[in-house]
Amino acid sequence: MRWHWIFSPFLIISVSAFYTPSDGIVELTDANFDSKVMKSDGIWVVEFYAPYCGHCKSLVPEYKKAAKLLKGIASVGSIDGTTQQTIPSKYAIKGYPTIKIFGATDKNKAIDYNGPRTAKGIADAVQKSIKETLDARLSGKTGGKSEKSSKKSKNSGENKGKEGGVVVLTDSNFEKLVLNSKEAWMVEFYAPWCGHCQKLEPEWKKAAKEMAGRVKFGALDATAHETIARKFQIQGFPTIKFFPPGSTSSDFEDYQGGRTSSDLIRYSESKYEDVASPPEVIEGISKKSIDETCRNRQLCIFTFLPSIFDCQSECRRAKIQILSDLAAIFKKRAFGWVWIEAGAQMEVEKAFEIGDSGYPVLVAMSPSKMKYATQIGQFSTSGIKEFLNSVNYGKLRVQSVQPAHLSNNFLKIVDTEPWDGKDKELPKMDEIDLSDVDLDEKDEL
């Protein structure tokens, strides 16, 4: 056992290190760290500790258990951060205990262990590191992670994106997708080996699915994308932050609430109400414009307005304003808003079985179920509001869009020219002058 003697004119204090050689834990120092850890072919688990640290003392029995569990599998070491300065400084150790895992294939990429401070938690992290080493060697890679392992690490949120609408964030896309976004974001910074992160994953997916069209949910692997993780000073996992539309690197809010889907949804809804602008009412002139407006929405509201020949610019703008007012009223709902000139998208009109009863006609469609309901009543703010509330709460009978009117599981859309905002008149017919025409009896009118 190693003893440090601190001399004072009044007393002598003895301080002992936490571990002995019989514990299977190697005492590391500034002098031996490179030779034992960095030049080793095996995996190392290293604890940076301080003798006065209460949490370090609490970790001692579990760390000893971990050393026994990992005997012959990985090396376990400890370094006193109060007496050894160079190595703790090199790894920017700011708190105790700090545990790092140095993998077998790339010692320069030490992984911060932020999982449970238990023998099992540490052993699980080592098991993951072993798997990554095997994957690398089986694929013929001699350094770093294998392509498969690296892809899994960097894109471990990819399954989230497929299953629950969670966007995979990286160092390269974070600024474009989040900081330059016109939408609000909830972002989880996680580590693949983190038990709390794994527990959060299904709740995160549920919240993302519920908030689709209002608040985007993203996930960034902070162990693979260190630039963004450092930028936002991520020190523990999972860390959750809310980014309002048009955020800057300092314009965000740390989420401190519960980690159930209902907690996340409640918080997201409250923030969305504060920052969200009403959705735009767009003119449906292409498959792209309609698809972007309607996909992943709870409902998409289609309004077929009269021809510009029947309802000139002032008339049309008044009706679009009604839709804009309603979009503001229902902004907390995941609705998309589209207006289409009568006759411009005939396949869509056929899909909704719109007859010749007159325009405007308003239809509420569920993009995920391809079911719809048509408003019967006055085209007014109050009338449409009552209709949409009835649809939203399942009080109206709905119909299914027939497959014959679908293309790739969505409506058949053609590209059309956008309205120029002006009045239009029917072309004038040229008058025919019959004064110089000789008509005989057979040609009399």
Side-chain angles (χ1 to χ4, degrees):
M1 180 177 291
R2 178 178 172 184
W3 297 86
H4 304 291
W5 298 95
I6 300 176
F7 292 90
S8 164
F10 304 102
L11 72 163
I12 297 176
I13 303 174
S14 65
V15 182
S16 70
F18 290 147
Y19 308 106
T20 67
S22 62
D23 293 322
I25 297 171
V26 179
E27 183 180 6
L28 298 170
T29 65
D30 289 340
N32 69 13
F33 192 88
D34 282 352
S35 61
K36 288 188 175 293
V37 178
M38 302 305 289
K39 295 181 181 179
S40 167
D41 291 331
I43 296 170
W44 273 83
V45 181
V46 178
E47 175 202 4
F48 295 80
Y49 73 94
Y52 59 78
C53 165
H55 292 298
C56 302
K57 294 174 184 177
S58 299
L59 176 63
V60 167
E62 290 297 322
Y63 202 58
K64 288 181 179 180
K65 289 180 186 177
K68 291 180 180 179
L69 282 173
L70 296 171
K71 185 177 181 180
I73 299 172
S75 300
V76 179
S78 65
I79 182 168
D80 184 344
T82 64
T83 62
Q84 309 301 313
Q85 304 296 323
T86 303
I87 296 302
S89 176
K90 177 181 178 180
Y91 291 101
I93 304 302
K94 297 179 180 179
Y96 302 106
T98 291
I99 299 175
K100 290 183 177 288
I101 298 176
F102 295 80
T105 53
D106 191 349
K107 290 292 192 298
N108 291 318
K109 292 184 178 179
I111 297 172
D112 286 328
Y113 175 74
N114 291 298
R117 290 175 180 172
T118 63
K120 183 180 184 306
I122 295 169
D124 286 343
V126 171
Q127 185 178 30
K128 177 176 175 56
S129 183
I130 292 171
K131 184 179 184 305
E132 291 175 351
T133 301
L134 289 173
D135 285 344
R137 291 176 180 175
L138 286 170
S139 64
K141 305 288 183 181
T142 57
K145 298 177 182 178
S146 68
E147 280 186 28
K148 180 178 178 182
S149 175
S150 177
K151 184 176 180 181
K152 181 178 179 182
S153 172
K154 291 184 180 180
N155 296 329
S156 56
E158 190 168 348
N159 288 334
K160 297 179 184 181
K162 291 178 180 178
E163 296 177 27
V166 177
V167 180
V168 180
L169 298 171
T170 66
D171 281 341
S172 60
N173 70 15
F174 193 92
E175 183 172 352
K176 177 182 177 181
L177 294 183
V178 179
L179 299 185
N180 294 336
S181 177
K182 294 181 180 179
E183 299 177 275
W185 281 79
M186 288 282 283
V187 177
E188 174 202 3
F189 298 84
Y190 70 97
W193 41 259
C194 163
H196 293 298
C197 303
Q198 293 164 9
K199 186 177 180 181
L200 173 64
E201 184 175 350
E203 302 299 319
W204 196 251
K205 288 179 182 178
K206 288 179 186 177
K209 186 175 181 180
E210 178 66 26
M211 294 303 297
R214 291 176 285 174
V215 176
K216 286 186 173 291
F217 274 60
L220 182 138
D221 181 349
T223 66
H225 303 284
E226 297 177 350
T227 301
I228 294 298
R230 283 196 300 270
K231 183 173 185 176
F232 292 100
Q233 300 180 336
I234 305 303
Q235 297 180 341
F237 305 109
T239 292
I240 299 172
K241 295 180 182 290
F242 172 80
F243 293 83
S247 302
T248 65
S249 58
S250 61
D251 186 18
F252 60 85
E253 180 177 299
D254 290 321
Y255 173 75
Q256 305 290 350
R259 292 177 182 174
T260 66
S261 59
S262 58
D263 291 326
L264 294 164
I265 291 166
R266 188 161 47 248
Y267 173 85
S268 301
E269 285 182 332
S270 68
K271 299 305 294 183
Y272 179 74
E273 187 174 358
D274 293 339
V275 303
S277 298
E280 182 183 359
V281 180
I282 67 110
E283 182 181 3
I285 58 171
S286 66
K287 184 179 187 303
K288 181 181 179 182
S289 64
I290 295 177
D291 193 77
E292 289 178 350
T293 301
C294 293
R295 292 285 188 186
N296 300 319
R297 298 284 182 169
Q298 181 184 350
L299 290 176
C300 196
I301 314 304
F302 289 87
T303 303
F304 299 86
L305 297 180
S307 165
I308 191 65
F309 299 114
D310 299 324
C311 178
Q312 293 285 320
S313 59
E314 185 177 349
C315 167
R316 176 172 287 184
R317 288 194 184 94
K319 288 177 170 49
I320 294 174
Q321 185 59 52
I322 289 174
L323 298 175
S324 297
D325 292 343
L326 287 159
I329 292 171
F330 288 95
K331 77 171 188 175
K332 292 171 63 177
R333 311 264 181 91
F335 293 174
W337 298 81
V338 179
W339 73 267
I340 298 172
E341 182 173 21
Q345 299 286 349
M346 290 306 300
E347 285 297 325
V348 181
E349 293 194 32
K350 290 177 182 178
F352 296 143
E353 298 182 355
I354 295 175
D356 299 325
S357 57
Y359 299 92
V361 177
L362 187 139
V363 175
M365 184 190 80
S366 166
S368 61
K369 299 178 181 178
M370 293 309 293
K371 294 181 179 293
Y372 70 93
T374 305
Q375 185 207 11
I376 299 174
Q378 187 179 12
F379 189 87
S380 64
T381 302
S382 58
I384 297 172
K385 181 180 177 182
E386 182 179 353
F387 165 72
L388 292 178
N389 280 328
S390 296
V391 173
N392 199 49
Y393 295 115
K395 295 181 179 180
L396 293 180
R397 184 178 69 86
V398 296
Q399 297 173 264
S400 297
V401 178
Q402 296 304 309
H405 300 299
L406 299 178
S407 175
N408 295 324
N409 297 319
F410 199 63
L411 301 168
K412 294 180 181 179
I413 312 293
V414 297
D415 290 346
T416 61
E417 290 297 321
W419 177 43
D420 61 9
K422 299 178 181 179
D423 290 337
K424 286 187 179 179
E425 295 181 5
L426 288 169
K428 293 182 178 180
M429 298 292 291
D430 292 335
E431 294 184 4
I432 301 174
D433 185 3
L434 299 178
S435 61
D436 295 331
V437 178
D438 291 331
L439 299 174
D440 57 22
E441 294 180 359
K442 295 180 180 180
D443 297 325
E444 287 182 2
L445 296 176

